[in-house]
Amino acid sequence: MADLLAGAVSAERLILDEDSVDTLETVRAAAAHARANGYAMILTCTDAYHQPRVGMLFRLLGLASRPVRLAARGPRQLRLKMWLREGAAIPYDLVAGIGAAWRGRA
């Protein structure tokens, strides 16, 4: 994603998460960073099919987010497959995100 944003966002404004292993961990790390630095909103940089789930998780954790629109990548068949995958991942992360928010582990 950093490569896709080159030229659109200055490198010093990008915060890369190279430690998280899934979407919920990434959102939790970003939420913790945002709170620690007093950010009111987060701009999310991910593929279009992934934006609804990322936005949902930020809302569950009490943070506003806005998607950065990126050009579609990859063959159409792969993008369709990823949209279908997200359809299954959203309910899963909804439950996991509610649990994380309830436990205060954001």
Side-chain angles (χ1 to χ4, degrees):
M1 287 298 141
D3 290 342
L4 290 175
L5 293 169
V9 177
S10 60
E12 63 271 3
R13 293 190 65 208
L14 291 178
I15 301 162
L16 304 179
D17 176 13
E18 300 183 58
D19 297 324
S20 297
V21 297
D22 63 22
T23 301
L24 180 56
E25 275 190 27
T26 301
V27 170
R28 288 176 54 205
H33 180 82
R35 286 190 182 101
N37 290 282
Y39 298 152
M41 183 189 323
I42 294 175
L43 298 177
T44 58
C45 304
T46 189
D47 291 295
Y49 61 80
H50 202 217
Q51 289 286 9
R53 181 160 50 125
V54 170
M56 173 195 71
L57 289 170
F58 275 116
R59 282 189 299 279
L60 285 172
L61 298 177
L63 283 170
S65 68
R66 190 176 81 207
V68 173
R69 298 206 182 270
L70 302 172
R73 300 181 304 145
R76 181 183 168 123
Q77 186 175 1
L78 174 63
R79 291 194 318 263
L80 176 60
K81 176 183 172 184
M82 296 311 291
W83 276 104
L84 293 172
R85 179 183 174 278
E86 287 297 302
I90 286 173
Y92 176 87
D93 267 356
L94 174 63
V95 172
I98 290 169
W102 182 73
R103 290 187 306 272
R105 294 178 50 192

